[in-house]
Amino acid sequence: MSKKLSMDELNRLDVSTYKSTEKFPYVIVLDDIRSMNNIGSAFRTGDAFKCAAIHLCGITAQPPHREISKTALGADESVDWVYFEDGASSRQALRAAGYQIVCVEQVQGSVSLEKFKPVKDQKYAFVFGNEVFGVDDEWIQEADFSLEIPQFGTKHSLNVSVSMGVVIWDFVSKIIA
C-alpha cells in the first residue's frame, strides 16, 4: 500500500541551494499576462522544472506582489526573473544569449508538441501570451517556430498556466530521457 510522502521525504531544496543548482536550458516568457494567479503558476512550474529564468513582459505584473506570491508559494523567490517593458526587448536579450524562440500558439505551420524533439545543448525560450488574445503577432513573426498542444474537445483552448505545465514537462521529460 502506498503512503503520501512527508515534507522531509520530498528532499526539497532550500532557496539558496536551488539558486546555485544547474538549471535546464529554457526560459519561460510571459507576454502581457493579465492574471497574477497565472503569473504565480508560472513561477511554480519554473521552480518545479528548474527553469533558467522567467521573462515578464508588458502588462505582466512583477514580484513582489501578494497575489503572485499566493499562487507561487515562494517560487517567486527561487526562480530568477527579468522584467521587460515590451516583447522586443525580451527577444533581443534572448537572441543575444543564444535562445531559440518558441511560441506556444495555434498557428499555421506549428509543430505539434508530441513531434517536438529538443536539440541537446540548445537553449529554448517558450513564449506564452495574453489569456484572451494569445501570443502577440510580433513574437510569432520573430519566432524560430511555434508549438501547438494537440486538443480534441470543443474548446481548443487551455488556460495559459495549464499550457505552461504541459509544454515545460514535455520539454524536460524529453531532455532527461
Side-chain angles (χ1 to χ4, degrees):
M1 177 183 232
S2 297
K3 75 169 186 76
K4 190 186 258 186
L5 295 175
S6 70
M7 289 302 208
D8 289 337
E9 292 170 315
L10 290 174
N11 296 318
R12 292 172 43 173
L13 302 175
D14 60 52
V15 172
S16 63
T17 304
Y18 178 89
K19 286 208 172 269
S20 65
T21 301
E22 185 177 352
K23 308 302 186 293
F24 291 115
Y26 76 97
V27 167
I28 295 172
V29 178
L30 303 181
D31 188 47
D32 288 338
I33 300 296
R34 298 176 310 155
S35 165
M36 287 189 247
N37 289 327
N38 287 334
I39 298 164
S41 292
F43 276 93
R44 276 183 63 192
T45 298
D47 178 278
F49 300 116
K50 293 197 311 185
C51 177
I54 296 178
H55 281 202
L56 305 171
C57 304
I59 67 167
T60 307
Q62 307 154 56
H65 195 287
R66 188 174 61 90
E67 290 300 311
I68 294 172
S69 296
K70 182 170 70 175
T71 308
L73 295 178
D76 50 335
E77 296 175 18
S78 58
V79 177
D80 291 339
W81 61 273
V82 183
Y83 174 74
F84 296 90
E85 286 189 22
D86 54 55
S89 301
S90 172
R91 283 192 301 278
Q92 183 178 18
L94 291 165
R95 289 287 186 214
Y99 281 87
Q100 274 210 329
I101 295 175
V102 181
C103 293
V104 179
E105 186 61 90
Q106 298 166 332
V107 300
Q108 190 173 37
S110 63
V111 174
S112 191
L113 186 60
E114 79 277 6
K115 294 180 180 168
F116 172 50
K117 298 197 182 347
V119 176
K120 184 177 170 49
D121 298 324
Q122 174 62 56
K123 298 186 295 186
Y124 294 89
F126 296 104
V127 181
F128 299 90
N130 181 273
E131 293 91 338
V132 174
F133 303 110
V135 176
D136 186 88
D137 285 341
E138 285 184 27
W139 279 106
I140 293 168
Q141 297 306 312
E142 297 289 326
D144 293 293
F145 61 96
S146 291
L147 281 178
E148 184 171 342
I149 301 168
Q151 298 171 54
F152 308 100
T154 61
K155 297 300 176 203
H156 285 260
S157 172
L158 293 170
N159 178 278
V160 68
S161 67
V162 172
S163 295
M164 282 182 257
V166 169
V167 169
I168 301 309
W169 164 244
D170 180 77
F171 171 72
V172 169
S173 70
K174 287 173 178 174
I175 64 171
I176 64 174

